[in-house]
Amino acid sequence: MSFSFWWIIGGVVLVTLGIGAWKQSKTTRHHRHHDETRPSIKESKPKGPSRDTQRRLRAPVSMGWEVHEFGDNAPAGDWVQWKIGSGWFDVQGLFNRKEAVREFLRLAAQADERGEPFGALLKPEPDNKHDKNAMQVIGTLGPHEAPASRVFLGYVPADVAAEVASFPEGMPIAVELKKSRIGEVDVTLNCAGLWPPAKQRREQGFEKAPSKPVTRVDENALEKLDQLIERMNAMPALTAKQAAARQKTNRIDFIEDDEATIQRKLAELEADRSLSVLEDPGGIKQYDNDLAKQVEIVSEGLDGWERSGMTPAPYYSYRIAVILSKQKEVEREKAFLAAWCRHFSEVGIGQRYADLVERARKKGAVPAA
């Protein structure tokens, strides 16, 4: 056989193999396309909440709320928000009366826009088997004195109602509608609890005025004050620059200072910062009218001033001036203010320092500016 014959046979074989491979690829592509377009088997999914459960759910934010902020609808007379929480509360149990509440709130919003009377009132429910302090919130349309319509909306929250129950018997209380939010599923209502102002409550005997603080001034306290004045007059007065230099000298340098110096400065800083007389668990305000205690505080402040150039808090010096003024100790007040101004009128920073300097000028303790 000639060489060309085998070339022909080889070519035929290659063509045959190529056609076979092409058909197989086509079949594979057909099956793959068929598999991709074939509907997938639907997987079973857990059932969602029942319709009854869905009704109990709060309306999602995406559904939106119909919000209305009510204008003034408090009953006639003087009222302020009672001191329970913020004075506001959410009416409880609205869901059980949802449709009636929705209708009332829409009518109340319309009345508000038209300038017609509407509002709410409180009604105790002492026979309530769940809570003897229970208090109903009743919505009203028409004048508070003679409403044309009343709708039971819900209850005052139990914790708020318990505090209201502690009010003296006969204490006038009221309520004012503040804001309603109506959603597709739920509805909320904010109210403000009201009672008469403090002066009226006290005049009617429902509340006692807090006792006025007793100003404690005796010969011993006045003697300590005189000693403090003498000390301030004898101390050299520092300029602002000198005070800053003293503070710099006593400032802790954790790089340059040795360990013993650091510990000493830390102890002095703590002593200047934490006055022993301020550690009373009853709080410093109880000493506002105690001259001896105020003198003690200012004396400790002077210790820190001499040691580290840390200016003492001016509040306690101000209290000394106020106490002396109430006791008609005019000359002692002037002497104290003059001695204090020698040291702190220029170096003290802040409104209280400025107030003390101005007080000293008005009293004639220092020359007018």
Side-chain angles (χ1 to χ4, degrees), residues 7 9 97 112 177 198 207 287 306 320 331 347 363:
W7 270 104
I9 294 298
R97 289 161 286 279
D112 189 21
L177 303 179
E207 189 175 294
Y287 300 121
E306 286 189 299
I320 290 176
E331 294 304 318
V347 299
K363 299 287 183 177

Side-chain angles (χ1 to χ4, degrees), residues 23-329:
K23 286 184 177 181
Q24 184 176 2
S25 174
K26 182 177 179 181
T27 302
T28 302
R29 287 196 305 272
H30 174 74
H31 284 303
R32 184 181 300 141
H33 176 72
H34 181 70
D35 290 340
E36 290 175 351
T37 56
R38 181 184 303 168
S40 60
I41 298 174
K42 188 174 182 180
E43 297 181 4
S44 61
K45 296 182 178 180
K47 293 183 179 180
S50 65
R51 187 180 299 274
D52 183 59
T53 302
Q54 291 179 21
R55 280 199 295 267
R56 293 194 183 97
L57 299 176
R58 297 182 68 86
V61 175
S62 59
M63 291 184 179
W65 294 84
E66 180 185 339
V67 180
H68 184 82
E69 295 189 14
F70 294 101
D72 177 31
N73 59 93
D78 293 329
W79 300 95
V80 295
Q81 291 185 17
W82 60 38
K83 295 178 181 178
I84 301 177
S86 66
W88 286 37
F89 61 86
D90 285 351
V91 179
Q92 303 295 298
L94 297 178
F95 192 87
N96 298 326
R97 289 161 286 279
K98 184 171 58 176
E99 296 308 319
V101 171
R102 287 174 186 266
E103 181 62 20
F104 167 78
L105 292 177
R106 290 195 176 97
L107 293 174
Q110 292 176 8
D112 189 21
E113 292 169 357
R114 296 170 183 167
E116 299 172 353
F118 70 98
L121 53 86
L122 298 176
K123 180 182 178 183
E125 194 179 80
D127 296 332
N128 187 299
K129 61 181 180 180
H130 302 291
D131 184 1
K132 64 179 181 180
N133 298 323
M135 187 169 293
Q136 297 180 2
V137 179
I138 309 293
T140 63
L141 297 172
H144 278 276
E145 302 77 18
S149 176
R150 299 183 181 217
V151 179
F152 173 31
L153 303 177
Y155 288 91
V156 173
D159 57 336
V160 176
E163 290 201 49
V164 172
S166 68
F167 291 173
E169 186 177 355
M171 168 79 81
I173 54 174
V175 73
E176 181 178 15
L177 303 179
K178 301 302 287 189
K179 182 188 290 187
S180 66
R181 294 184 290 277
I182 301 175
E184 294 188 20
V185 175
D186 208 349
V187 56
T188 63
L189 174 61
N190 302 124
C191 288
L194 306 175
W195 60 356
K199 182 179 179 181
Q200 186 174 330
R201 297 196 304 271
R202 291 162 188 168
E203 288 175 348
Q204 296 177 355
F206 294 113
E207 189 175 294
K208 290 184 178 180
S211 57
K212 293 183 178 181
V214 178
T215 302
R216 292 186 288 275
V217 177
D218 53 28
E219 289 301 322
N220 182 51
L222 292 173
E223 183 179 342
K224 288 183 178 180
L225 173 64
D226 292 340
Q227 293 171 0
L228 174 62
I229 294 172
E230 290 178 9
R231 178 187 177 187
M232 286 193 291
N233 285 331
M235 288 169 54
L238 301 179
T239 64
K241 187 175 181 179
Q242 290 171 329
R246 182 174 292 186
Q247 291 172 14
K248 184 177 181 180
T249 301
N250 289 276
R251 187 175 297 125
I252 301 174
D253 190 328
F254 289 96
I255 297 176
E256 297 295 333
D257 292 344
D258 56 44
E259 182 63 25
T261 302
I262 291 175
Q263 292 303 321
R264 175 181 61 79
K265 290 182 177 180
L266 284 173
E268 291 175 354
L269 181 64
E270 182 64 19
D272 293 342
R273 185 184 65 82
S274 303
L275 301 175
S276 60
V277 292
L278 302 183
E279 296 173 357
D280 194 302
I284 191 59
K285 294 294 286 184
Q286 65 179 313
Y287 300 121
D288 269 1
N289 294 283
D290 188 332
L291 180 62
K293 191 64 78 171
Q294 298 299 324
V295 168
E296 186 179 353
I297 296 172
V298 174
S299 296
E300 291 195 6
L302 284 179
D303 293 341
W305 169 247
E306 286 189 299
R307 184 168 49 243
S308 62
M310 180 180 290
T311 52
Y315 174 80
Y316 311 103
S317 297
Y318 194 85
R319 289 306 309 167
I320 290 176
V322 170
I323 294 171
L324 292 174
S325 178
K326 288 181 177 179
Q327 295 299 306
K328 307 296 191 235
E329 291 282 350

